[in-house]
Amino acid sequence: MFALTYLVFLAVANAANAATIPTPGRVRTSLNDNWKFSRFTNNPDSLSYNSLKPWLLPQANLFITGTKYPNPSASSPGANIPYVQSSFNDDTWQQVDLPHDWAITGPFGAPGISGGMGRLPTNGIGWYRKTLLATADDISGTKSIFLDVDGAMSYAAVWLNGNLVGGWPWGYASWRLDLTRYLREGNNTLAIRLENAVDNSRWYPGAGIYRNLWLVKVDRMHVAQWGTQVTTPDVSEKEATVKVVVQVENLGGAAREVDVSTRIYAVGDGSGAEAVATIKTVTTAVAAGEKRFVNDSVTVPNPRLWGPPPSQTPHLYLAVTTLSSGSAVIDTYTTRFGIRSITYSPSNGLLINSQRVYVQGTCNHHDQGALGAAYNHRATQRQLQILRDMGANALRTSHNPPAPDLLDLADEMGFLVLDEAFDCWSAGKTANDYHLLYPEWHEADLRAFIRRDRNHPSVIAWSIGNEVQNQESALVAREAIELQSIVHSEDPSRQVTSAMNAATPDHALPATLDIIGLNYQGEYGNYAAFHQKFPDKMIWGSETASCISSRGTYFFPVHSGNNNRYSAVGSSDAAARYISAYELADPGWGDSPDAVFVAQERFQPWVAGEFVWTGFDYLGEPTPWGGQGGSRSSYFGIVDLAGFPKDRFWLYQARWRPEKAMVHLLPHWTWPERVGDVTPVHVFSGAEEVEVWVNGVSQGRRKKSGKGVYRFRWDEVKYQAGEVVAVGYKDGKEWGRDVKKTAGKAAALAVSVDRAVIDGDGRDLAYVRVEVVDDKGTMVPRTNNTVEFSVAGPGKLVATDNGDPTDMTAFPSASRRAFSGLALGIVKAEKGAKGKITVTVRGDGLIREGEVVVTAQ
Ligand SMILES: *[C@@H]1O[C@H](CO)[C@@H](O)[C@H](O)[C@H]1NC(C)=O
Ligand SMILES: *[C@@H]1O[C@H](CO)[C@@H](O)[C@H](O)[C@H]1NC(C)=O
Ligand SMILES: *[C@@H]1O[C@H](CO)[C@@H](O)[C@H](O)[C@H]1NC(C)=O
């Protein structure tokens, strides 16, 4: 019987989706569909976090080691509020599916919301309601019924049938509530209240139940929440030790004995149903209301190791833990993990499985551009694929715990993750940010975060903070010591860092940390000072560059050096709020990629690498135009908010994918007003030499000018209409070429889609790219024609964008101005749909329409 079960799940496991593996004894279902929602800008219920807090705090008790928070004796608040009652008529409320971000539909210009937060209406109180059906079995007294929340922004409080069950204030936390006590047979009313203050973030936080919600039904004797810890303390090609800690929880009324066993399977192995290792069965007795650890280890021979491509492969394993009694399976719990070792070398950087891996990382915020903070698997996968195509092998989850699913994707794709907890500790950065919660919640939030994420092989280090306030202070050093020791106690297998932009080697903070993570200051020369002071700590650039630009906009004269302020002549157009895509501008701190590369080379091999600020543009923080009348989204991204690469993408690709024959030339070549004017031609390439021709006339062949230099420049070229060609050479042979041609008038729309077939699950997405082209098919680079999307068939337009940080048209709009020749439409199928979805895009004026067909199945 086991063999049969595992054959089924191995087939599923090949698709590497742990969520769909059969787990006898345990039912975990999505609670995402069919909610009712209403947002209030004035408090409709007179509740507040302070009035609810005594009932929420005990939720933290599972994650704190000191004095527990008492359960209040007073009756819980909110029972009289209409929204928590079954009788309340919510017909007029909005029907929504989760994940849901109530602010992303706009409009921009929300009162009280700063440019830093993206000018979208995140503030206010949101109520969500849903009917939950419970069977007689669910309430028979043998089951525990849990609500698992991957993330709700923020200050969540949950009522079931009018009873306050609990909640969790921090919007980036994942948490569990036990609904069992208040559940009854038939229909139950679940109501969730969220509240977001203004000034609660430095960037766009999103608003609402913006991550997945799950209902878990298990026996009262079960594997506890995040109740396994799998580590691989000894790893070689020949064999690996896999250590498995299982925490068994008995929420029943009497002590019970249970048999605990764990089998290890290779994911996607294809060799059949055989476990590669089995941990011997242990019988353990667990008292009523108690938890017990069952710890053991096993040797896996010839392990297939987890490691980052291209030099390694991210092989995965599955630990299947079974609780049973006689022949009856009580609970099945799966833990996906990887077998790999990490070495943090002060002299040689990061080693995975004893092989040096240079960290080529980007920092990323959690929003998905036009989709906002609402978690979407495909949107996240697309981002990671774009980063991978660029050659990135690492991510920093700046500055908060990511959606759990992002780490699943990172495990599968072999990304190295610097998993970050906090943007502030006891001293805040905005009036209503996490510093308000820090005193009472930081231990619980941090322990919960580590327990949730510690089995992911992709996580290679923890960050306890980002650029916290007062890095010079003794208080901050004490806080760092406490936080780091919390992490060590939950996970002794990984090192801890905190991203420091202001600490110097003589401050107490860096001395407390395992890894020296420097934001920007490494490039100014401080890598050496820290290395000298801390010769036994690994160092990396936890945040680098902060280059700013807007895709496809170029200004003149071009700076002759390799880095310049955005405000310098030729770097930007302040009136239009665009920054030159020659990619040389910094915001007042930071550097161009070129300057970072040179610094990284200078400190090899001991600087482990860098995490660039940022992989993608994100909502909010539109530096330098965050004030009144400013922009909506950032300029930092290597890729714009719509997912279109800026020129910088190829600069990173040149360095990060040295094996790829690639030549990228800029700017575009349509400058009717610049005939005869100096219009520098730059080429990004990993080639040894590059030659450029304008209308067939060579502008010279240039050699790579030094270590870490991937920019070739012809700064004296005078513009004339026609064509510019760049050819790269390696070992004397051609190694890639690029051509830019002068475009004529906009005449047509070239429409394409990233995937022709999508799931008809109402969640999967097709990204439709629209290029404004002339009658020969050349992209017209400076058009801003408005295009109009329409969808026929069983699909729906979700949002549109163009990557322009100044565009204040709300994201759901079907009409969108093109920016630097491009626009994007995001389309999904109707839930349960099959068939052809036709997306038609029409332009204004005399432009021919374009069309693309996506099949839902
Ligand atoms: C339970 O709720 C569902 C959906 O809201 C409704 O169709 C059904 O009639 C309800 N059942 C009872 C017994 O109230
Ligand atoms: C089992 O592992 C847990 C978690 O690491 C630890 O707290 C406990 O002391 C261990 N128990 C034994 C008997 O080793
Ligand atoms: C579109 O481009 C034209 C020509 O460059 C410019 O005058 C106009 O202001 C632009 N419109 C918008 C909405 O940006």
Side-chain angles (χ1 to χ4, degrees):
M1 183 195 141
F2 267 115
L4 237 171
T5 307
Y6 292 129
L7 265 175
V8 172
F9 88 57
L10 272 174
V12 179
N14 284 334
N17 185 351
T20 54
I21 292 161
T23 52
R26 172 175 292 249
V27 180
R28 182 175 186 258
T29 46
S30 168
L31 268 195
N32 285 345
D33 287 352
N34 298 323
W35 287 77
K36 287 294 193 139
F37 166 73
S38 189
R39 170 183 177 236
F40 305 84
T41 46
N42 293 316
N43 191 338
D45 51 44
S46 73
L47 298 172
S48 68
Y49 173 60
N50 276 337
S51 67
L52 295 165
K53 189 164 86 170
W55 287 267
L56 308 191
L57 268 179
Q59 215 65 48
N61 287 342
L62 290 170
F63 305 95
I64 58 179
T65 49
T67 314
K68 307 289 184 206
Y69 296 109
N71 283 306
S73 53
S75 64
S76 66
N80 56 337
I81 289 171
Y83 315 141
V84 309
Q85 288 155 19
S86 330
S87 56
F88 179 73
N89 184 337
D90 56 19
D91 286 355
T92 62
W93 286 21
Q94 198 186 333
Q95 173 89 33
V96 299
D97 288 341
L98 311 180
H100 174 239
D101 178 349
W102 81 55
I104 193 59
T105 52
F108 288 102
I113 303 293
S114 64
M117 285 181 60
R119 308 178 200 278
L120 288 164
T122 49
N123 61 307
I125 289 165
W127 275 94
Y128 290 83
R129 284 169 52 88
K130 180 181 171 66
T131 300
L132 266 190
L133 188 66
T135 64
D137 187 43
D138 293 339
I139 57 142
S140 65
T142 63
K143 287 264 166 71
S144 287
I145 314 292
F146 297 115
L147 177 70
D148 280 0
V149 179
D150 285 353
M153 188 67 72
S154 55
Y155 289 90
V158 178
W159 285 259
L160 185 63
N161 301 325
N163 305 287
L164 178 61
V165 189
W168 202 283
W170 192 31
Y172 293 107
S174 295
W175 42 280
R176 160 174 283 188
L177 290 181
D178 189 346
L179 302 180
T180 316
R181 195 173 146 207
Y182 298 117
L183 202 69
R184 59 185 186 222
E185 191 177 347
N187 282 348
N188 293 260
T189 301
L190 188 62
I192 301 181
R193 179 191 193 271
L194 303 179
E195 179 162 3
N196 292 316
V198 295
D199 294 329
N200 66 351
S201 179
R202 296 190 300 122
W203 56 85
Y204 177 73
I209 308 178
Y210 74 110
R211 288 179 180 165
N212 293 316
L213 232 62
W214 307 93
L215 193 70
V216 176
K217 301 181 177 183
V218 273
D219 192 280
R220 291 214 173 166
M221 175 77 95
H222 51 255
V223 176
Q225 179 191 23
W226 305 315
T228 57
Q229 184 174 11
V230 180
T231 48
T232 54
D234 298 301
V235 175
S236 74
E237 302 262 301
K238 272 186 72 183
E239 59 179 39
T241 307
V242 176
K243 196 176 154 205
V244 180
V245 172
V246 180
Q247 193 179 34
V248 182
E249 176 175 52
N250 178 7
L251 292 181
R256 263 168 93 186
E257 273 199 345
V258 68
D259 298 334
V260 183
S261 66
T262 298
R263 291 157 188 252
I264 314 268
Y265 295 85
V267 173
D269 163 331
S271 67
E274 289 306 305
V276 297
T278 301
I279 292 182
K280 64 178 184 302
T281 304
V282 169
T283 304
T284 190
V286 190
E290 295 291 313
K291 289 188 192 141
R292 270 303 268 276
F293 283 114
V294 174
N295 308 2
D296 207 345
S297 60
V298 71
T299 301
V300 173
N302 307 311
R304 302 185 316 153
L305 305 185
W306 185 96
S311 60
Q312 302 188 39
T313 306
H315 293 295
L316 291 168
Y317 286 86
L318 202 61
V320 179
T321 301
T322 306
L323 305 190
S324 53
S325 176
S327 61
V329 174
I330 296 171
D331 186 17
T332 311
Y333 188 92
T334 58
T335 309
R336 207 172 61 166
F337 69 100
I339 298 176
R340 52 113 180 86
S341 67
I342 309 174
T343 311
Y344 308 89
S345 166
S347 58
N348 200 23
L350 187 76
L351 282 69
I352 304 295
N353 303 321
S354 308
Q355 222 182 81
R356 185 173 196 266
V357 177
Y358 178 63
V359 175
Q360 302 172 170
T362 62
C363 303
N364 292 290
H365 270 303
H366 70 309
D367 75 64
Q368 285 291 342
L371 306 174
Y375 186 79
N376 181 285
H377 177 80
R378 172 56 197 157
T380 307
Q381 182 186 49
R382 171 179 178 254
Q383 279 201 335
L384 297 190
Q385 286 169 343
I386 291 169
L387 294 171
R388 172 55 51 80
D389 181 40
M390 180 170 73
N393 63 12
L395 309 165
R396 171 176 172 227
T397 68
S398 48
H399 304 295
N400 42 258
D405 187 75
L406 178 135
L407 295 179
D408 290 337
L409 280 165
D411 291 345
E412 290 157 19
M413 295 176 73
F415 275 95
L416 308 172
V417 177
L418 173 56
D419 207 1
E420 187 153 273
F422 301 124
D423 187 51
C424 70
W425 299 340
S426 65
K429 297 178 179 175
T430 65
N432 295 309
D433 68 12
Y434 189 74
H435 78 282
L436 300 177
L437 291 170
Y438 185 88
E440 284 166 318
W441 286 92
H442 70 272
E443 183 186 355
D445 278 327
L446 188 56
R447 285 189 194 280
F449 163 59
I450 306 291
R451 286 182 206 173
R452 188 194 74 169
D453 290 354
R454 65 190 172 187
N455 292 325
H456 288 281
S458 56
V459 175
I460 46 106
W462 306 102
S463 167
I464 51 176
N466 168 59
E467 299 188 357
V468 296
Q469 304 282 49
N470 314 321
Q471 285 160 47
E472 73 295 344
S473 71
L475 171 67
V476 151
R478 281 200 305 278
E479 289 177 346
I481 288 169
E482 187 212 342
L483 295 169
Q484 180 167 275
S485 72
I486 288 171
V487 178
H488 286 163
S489 71
E490 295 294 337
D491 177 21
S493 76
R494 294 179 181 86
Q495 290 200 351
V496 178
T497 194
S498 185
M500 297 176 286
N501 62 326
T504 70
D506 293 329
H507 290 147
L509 175 63
T512 68
L513 300 167
D514 297 334
I515 299 171
I516 301 294
L518 298 185
N519 287 14
Y520 309 106
Q521 53 167 323
E523 280 69 55
Y524 311 155
N526 293 354
Y527 284 127
F530 278 92
H531 186 50
Q532 194 171 25
K533 178 83 190 251
F534 303 107
D536 0 339
K537 297 183 193 243
M538 191 181 83
I539 300 189
W540 60 21
S542 37
E543 202 171 304
T544 60
S546 267
C547 182
I548 43 180
S549 62
S550 32
R551 177 182 51 78
T553 66
Y554 306 91
F555 304 102
F556 306 92
V558 174
H559 180 61
S560 60
N562 78 352
N563 191 51
N564 205 13
R565 286 291 137 89
Y566 80 91
S567 49
V569 176
S571 283
S572 60
D573 176 343
R577 303 198 305 278
Y578 295 132
I579 302 171
S580 179
Y582 275 97
E583 313 289 17
L584 292 166
D586 76 53
W589 70 88
D591 294 284
S592 68
D594 311 63
V596 176
F597 294 162
V598 171
Q600 285 278 321
E601 282 303 320
R602 212 176 120 204
F603 301 117
Q604 290 305 307
W606 49 271
V607 169
E610 61 164 322
F611 293 90
V612 180
W613 192 262
T614 50
F616 279 71
D617 276 339
Y618 52 95
L619 293 165
E621 269 198 336
T623 308
W625 295 299
Q628 277 283 334
S631 301
R632 64 172 197 191
S633 49
S634 83
Y635 295 75
F636 294 113
I638 301 170
V639 182
D640 76 17
L641 197 75
F644 300 131
K646 301 179 188 173
D647 289 291
R648 245 186 287 163
F649 177 93
W650 289 278
L651 194 49
Y652 285 99
Q653 194 178 61
R655 175 169 172 80
W656 287 354
R657 290 183 66 183
E659 78 295 346
K660 187 174 187 215
M662 185 280 296
V663 166
H664 175 81
L665 99 77
L666 60 150
H668 64 73
W669 211 241
T670 306
W671 299 103
E673 78 283 20
R674 298 192 63 77
V675 175
D677 291 350
V678 170
T679 306
V681 172
H682 288 193
V683 170
F684 299 159
S685 177
E688 289 160 355
E689 287 181 90
V690 179
E691 184 163 4
V692 161
W693 292 265
V694 176
N695 293 338
V697 179
S698 175
Q699 307 296 304
R701 185 156 162 158
R702 308 233 151 124
K703 284 187 162 47
K704 180 179 170 85
S705 66
K707 261 196 153 177
V709 180
Y710 303 88
R711 181 190 297 257
F712 297 77
R713 45 202 298 174
W714 288 260
D715 281 337
E716 53 297 307
V717 172
K718 295 207 170 101
Y719 176 77
Q720 49 183 261
E723 117 181 334
V724 50
V725 177
V727 178
Y729 301 92
K730 224 170 191 176
D731 301 324
K733 290 197 214 81
E734 178 169 336
W735 202 69
R737 62 168 60 210
D738 196 10
V739 182
K740 291 281 191 302
K741 287 182 183 159
T742 304
K745 278 223 262 304
L749 298 177
V751 182
S752 58
V753 66
D754 64 337
R755 291 181 311 150
V757 177
I758 62 171
D759 270 354
D761 60 359
R763 298 182 189 282
D764 199 7
L765 302 170
Y767 282 82
V768 177
R769 173 192 164 104
V770 181
E771 213 175 297
V772 182
V773 295
D774 68 8
D775 56 6
K776 297 196 186 72
T778 300
M779 198 239 267
V780 187
R782 283 194 289 171
T783 47
N784 57 15
N785 306 66
T786 296
V787 301
E788 183 86 25
F789 292 82
S790 58
V791 175
K796 194 175 168 241
L797 182 70
V798 182
T800 60
D801 192 15
N802 52 18
D804 179 352
T806 71
D807 190 335
M808 297 295 169
T809 305
F811 288 121
S813 171
S815 92
R816 175 72 49 189
R817 174 158 67 68
F819 175 58
S820 296
L822 300 178
L824 176 79
I826 306 174
V827 172
K828 68 176 184 180
E830 304 284 2
K831 222 188 291 176
K834 277 196 191 351
K836 290 200 185 319
I837 302 166
T838 304
V839 184
T840 306
V841 190
R842 294 184 180 83
D844 47 13
L846 300 171
I847 297 174
R848 286 194 302 280
E849 68 184 39
E851 184 181 290
V852 77
V853 175
V854 181
T855 304
Q857 54 171 230

Short mmCIF file of all heavy atoms in Angstrom, two decimals, residues 395-427:
data_model
loop_
_atom_site.label_atom_id
_atom_site.label_comp_id
_atom_site.label_asym_id
_atom_site.label_seq_id
_atom_site.Cartn_x
_atom_site.Cartn_y
_atom_site.Cartn_z
N LEU A 395 19.45 35.76 -4.52
CA LEU A 395 18.41 36.75 -4.23
C LEU A 395 18.53 37.17 -2.78
O LEU A 395 18.83 36.35 -1.93
CB LEU A 395 17.01 36.10 -4.35
CG LEU A 395 16.66 35.33 -5.59
CD1 LEU A 395 15.41 34.49 -5.33
CD2 LEU A 395 16.38 36.32 -6.72
N ARG A 396 18.29 38.44 -2.53
CA ARG A 396 18.11 38.89 -1.15
C ARG A 396 16.67 39.36 -1.01
O ARG A 396 16.20 40.19 -1.80
CB ARG A 396 19.08 40.03 -0.83
CG ARG A 396 18.83 40.70 0.51
CD ARG A 396 19.90 41.75 0.79
NE ARG A 396 19.59 42.52 1.96
CZ ARG A 396 19.67 43.87 2.03
NH1 ARG A 396 20.04 44.58 0.98
NH2 ARG A 396 19.39 44.49 3.14
N THR A 397 15.95 38.82 -0.03
CA THR A 397 14.52 39.12 0.12
C THR A 397 14.36 40.42 0.90
O THR A 397 13.85 40.44 2.00
CB THR A 397 13.77 37.98 0.81
OG1 THR A 397 14.21 37.91 2.18
CG2 THR A 397 14.01 36.65 0.13
N SER A 398 14.80 41.50 0.26
CA SER A 398 14.80 42.80 0.92
C SER A 398 13.36 43.31 1.08
O SER A 398 12.63 43.33 0.11
CB SER A 398 15.59 43.80 0.10
OG SER A 398 15.19 43.73 -1.26
N HIS A 399 12.94 43.77 2.25
CA HIS A 399 13.63 43.66 3.54
C HIS A 399 12.70 42.94 4.50
O HIS A 399 12.34 43.46 5.53
CB HIS A 399 13.98 45.04 4.11
CG HIS A 399 14.80 45.89 3.18
ND1 HIS A 399 16.10 45.54 2.82
CD2 HIS A 399 14.54 47.03 2.52
CE1 HIS A 399 16.58 46.45 1.99
NE2 HIS A 399 15.66 47.37 1.77
N ASN A 400 12.25 41.77 4.09
CA ASN A 400 11.22 41.09 4.88
C ASN A 400 11.08 39.64 4.41
O ASN A 400 11.46 39.32 3.29
CB ASN A 400 9.87 41.79 4.73
CG ASN A 400 9.61 42.20 3.29
OD1 ASN A 400 9.76 43.37 2.95
ND2 ASN A 400 9.27 41.24 2.45
N PRO A 401 10.51 38.79 5.25
CA PRO A 401 10.28 37.41 4.83
C PRO A 401 9.44 37.36 3.55
O PRO A 401 8.45 38.09 3.42
CB PRO A 401 9.50 36.81 6.00
CG PRO A 401 9.94 37.60 7.19
CD PRO A 401 10.12 38.99 6.67
N PRO A 402 9.85 36.53 2.60
CA PRO A 402 9.11 36.41 1.34
C PRO A 402 7.91 35.49 1.50
O PRO A 402 7.74 34.85 2.54
CB PRO A 402 10.14 35.76 0.42
CG PRO A 402 10.93 34.87 1.34
CD PRO A 402 11.01 35.63 2.65
N ALA A 403 7.10 35.39 0.45
CA ALA A 403 6.07 34.35 0.41
C ALA A 403 6.78 32.99 0.43
O ALA A 403 7.81 32.84 -0.23
CB ALA A 403 5.23 34.49 -0.86
N PRO A 404 6.24 32.01 1.16
CA PRO A 404 6.91 30.70 1.21
C PRO A 404 7.13 30.10 -0.18
O PRO A 404 8.15 29.45 -0.43
CB PRO A 404 5.94 29.83 2.02
CG PRO A 404 4.98 30.75 2.67
CD PRO A 404 5.04 32.07 1.98
N ASP A 405 6.20 30.33 -1.07
CA ASP A 405 6.29 29.78 -2.41
C ASP A 405 7.51 30.30 -3.18
O ASP A 405 8.06 29.61 -4.04
CB ASP A 405 4.99 30.11 -3.16
CG ASP A 405 4.90 29.44 -4.51
OD1 ASP A 405 4.64 28.23 -4.54
OD2 ASP A 405 5.09 30.13 -5.53
N LEU A 406 7.94 31.50 -2.88
CA LEU A 406 9.13 32.03 -3.54
C LEU A 406 10.34 31.16 -3.21
O LEU A 406 11.18 30.89 -4.08
CB LEU A 406 9.40 33.48 -3.13
CG LEU A 406 10.66 34.06 -3.78
CD1 LEU A 406 10.42 35.46 -4.32
CD2 LEU A 406 11.84 34.09 -2.83
N LEU A 407 10.40 30.67 -1.98
CA LEU A 407 11.53 29.83 -1.61
C LEU A 407 11.43 28.46 -2.27
O LEU A 407 12.45 27.84 -2.58
CB LEU A 407 11.63 29.71 -0.08
CG LEU A 407 11.95 31.03 0.63
CD1 LEU A 407 12.01 30.80 2.14
CD2 LEU A 407 13.26 31.64 0.15
N ASP A 408 10.20 27.97 -2.48
CA ASP A 408 10.04 26.72 -3.23
C ASP A 408 10.62 26.88 -4.64
O ASP A 408 11.33 26.01 -5.14
CB ASP A 408 8.56 26.32 -3.34
CG ASP A 408 7.99 25.88 -2.00
OD1 ASP A 408 8.77 25.45 -1.12
OD2 ASP A 408 6.75 25.95 -1.84
N LEU A 409 10.29 28.00 -5.27
CA LEU A 409 10.82 28.27 -6.61
C LEU A 409 12.34 28.38 -6.59
O LEU A 409 13.02 27.86 -7.47
CB LEU A 409 10.22 29.58 -7.16
CG LEU A 409 8.82 29.48 -7.75
CD1 LEU A 409 8.22 30.87 -7.92
CD2 LEU A 409 8.87 28.76 -9.10
N ALA A 410 12.86 29.06 -5.57
CA ALA A 410 14.32 29.22 -5.46
C ALA A 410 14.99 27.85 -5.28
O ALA A 410 16.03 27.59 -5.86
CB ALA A 410 14.66 30.16 -4.31
N ASP A 411 14.36 26.98 -4.47
CA ASP A 411 14.90 25.63 -4.30
C ASP A 411 14.97 24.91 -5.65
O ASP A 411 15.96 24.25 -5.98
CB ASP A 411 13.98 24.79 -3.39
CG ASP A 411 14.00 25.24 -1.94
OD1 ASP A 411 14.91 26.01 -1.55
OD2 ASP A 411 13.09 24.81 -1.19
N GLU A 412 13.88 25.02 -6.40
CA GLU A 412 13.79 24.29 -7.67
C GLU A 412 14.74 24.84 -8.71
O GLU A 412 15.31 24.10 -9.51
CB GLU A 412 12.35 24.35 -8.21
CG GLU A 412 11.38 23.54 -7.39
CD GLU A 412 9.93 24.00 -7.54
OE1 GLU A 412 9.61 24.70 -8.53
OE2 GLU A 412 9.11 23.67 -6.65
N MET A 413 14.91 26.16 -8.74
CA MET A 413 15.75 26.78 -9.77
C MET A 413 17.20 26.91 -9.33
O MET A 413 18.06 27.29 -10.13
CB MET A 413 15.18 28.16 -10.12
CG MET A 413 13.81 28.09 -10.78
SD MET A 413 13.11 29.73 -11.08
CE MET A 413 14.12 30.29 -12.47
N GLY A 414 17.46 26.64 -8.07
CA GLY A 414 18.86 26.68 -7.61
C GLY A 414 19.37 28.08 -7.31
O GLY A 414 20.55 28.36 -7.48
N PHE A 415 18.48 28.98 -6.88
CA PHE A 415 18.94 30.30 -6.43
C PHE A 415 19.46 30.21 -5.00
O PHE A 415 18.90 29.46 -4.18
CB PHE A 415 17.79 31.31 -6.47
CG PHE A 415 17.60 31.96 -7.82
CD1 PHE A 415 16.68 31.44 -8.71
CD2 PHE A 415 18.35 33.06 -8.18
CE1 PHE A 415 16.49 32.03 -9.96
CE2 PHE A 415 18.18 33.66 -9.43
CZ PHE A 415 17.25 33.13 -10.32
N LEU A 416 20.48 30.99 -4.69
CA LEU A 416 20.96 31.14 -3.32
C LEU A 416 20.20 32.31 -2.71
O LEU A 416 20.14 33.38 -3.31
CB LEU A 416 22.46 31.47 -3.31
CG LEU A 416 23.38 30.54 -4.11
CD1 LEU A 416 24.79 31.12 -4.16
CD2 LEU A 416 23.39 29.15 -3.49
N VAL A 417 19.63 32.11 -1.52
CA VAL A 417 18.80 33.16 -0.94
C VAL A 417 19.40 33.68 0.36
O VAL A 417 19.74 32.90 1.25
CB VAL A 417 17.36 32.65 -0.68
CG1 VAL A 417 16.52 33.73 -0.01
CG2 VAL A 417 16.71 32.19 -1.98
N LEU A 418 19.54 35.00 0.41
CA LEU A 418 19.81 35.67 1.69
C LEU A 418 18.43 36.08 2.21
O LEU A 418 17.80 36.99 1.68
CB LEU A 418 20.72 36.89 1.48
CG LEU A 418 20.93 37.79 2.70
CD1 LEU A 418 21.48 37.01 3.89
CD2 LEU A 418 21.87 38.95 2.36
N ASP A 419 17.95 35.33 3.19
CA ASP A 419 16.57 35.46 3.67
C ASP A 419 16.57 36.51 4.78
O ASP A 419 17.21 36.34 5.81
CB ASP A 419 16.12 34.09 4.21
CG ASP A 419 14.62 33.89 4.13
OD1 ASP A 419 13.91 34.79 3.66
OD2 ASP A 419 14.16 32.81 4.56
N GLU A 420 15.85 37.61 4.54
CA GLU A 420 15.95 38.77 5.44
C GLU A 420 14.69 38.93 6.29
O GLU A 420 13.58 38.78 5.81
CB GLU A 420 16.17 40.04 4.61
CG GLU A 420 16.45 41.28 5.43
CD GLU A 420 17.29 42.28 4.64
OE1 GLU A 420 18.53 42.19 4.66
OE2 GLU A 420 16.69 43.15 3.98
N ALA A 421 14.89 39.26 7.56
CA ALA A 421 13.77 39.38 8.50
C ALA A 421 13.23 40.80 8.59
O ALA A 421 12.04 41.04 8.37
CB ALA A 421 14.20 38.90 9.88
N PHE A 422 14.08 41.76 8.94
CA PHE A 422 13.58 43.07 9.37
C PHE A 422 14.24 44.24 8.64
O PHE A 422 15.42 44.18 8.29
CB PHE A 422 13.83 43.26 10.87
CG PHE A 422 13.20 42.24 11.76
CD1 PHE A 422 13.97 41.50 12.65
CD2 PHE A 422 11.83 42.01 11.72
CE1 PHE A 422 13.39 40.56 13.49
CE2 PHE A 422 11.24 41.07 12.56
CZ PHE A 422 12.03 40.34 13.44
N ASP A 423 13.47 45.32 8.52
CA ASP A 423 14.01 46.60 8.04
C ASP A 423 14.33 47.53 9.19
O ASP A 423 15.02 48.52 9.03
CB ASP A 423 13.00 47.26 7.09
CG ASP A 423 13.56 48.50 6.42
OD1 ASP A 423 14.67 48.41 5.85
OD2 ASP A 423 12.92 49.57 6.47
N CYS A 424 13.76 47.25 10.37
CA CYS A 424 14.11 48.06 11.54
C CYS A 424 13.97 47.23 12.80
O CYS A 424 13.28 46.20 12.79
CB CYS A 424 13.25 49.32 11.63
SG CYS A 424 11.53 49.02 12.04
N TRP A 425 14.66 47.66 13.85
CA TRP A 425 14.53 47.01 15.15
C TRP A 425 13.77 47.98 16.06
O TRP A 425 12.72 48.45 15.67
CB TRP A 425 15.93 46.61 15.69
CG TRP A 425 16.63 45.63 14.77
CD1 TRP A 425 16.03 44.83 13.82
CD2 TRP A 425 18.04 45.36 14.70
NE1 TRP A 425 17.00 44.07 13.18
CE2 TRP A 425 18.23 44.37 13.70
CE3 TRP A 425 19.16 45.84 15.39
CZ2 TRP A 425 19.50 43.88 13.39
CZ3 TRP A 425 20.42 45.33 15.07
CH2 TRP A 425 20.59 44.37 14.08
N SER A 426 14.31 48.28 17.24
CA SER A 426 13.49 49.11 18.14
C SER A 426 13.37 50.56 17.68
O SER A 426 12.44 51.25 18.05
CB SER A 426 14.04 49.04 19.57
OG SER A 426 15.32 49.62 19.61
N ALA A 427 14.33 51.01 16.86
CA ALA A 427 14.22 52.37 16.32
C ALA A 427 13.65 52.29 14.91
O ALA A 427 14.20 51.60 14.05
CB ALA A 427 15.58 53.05 16.30
#
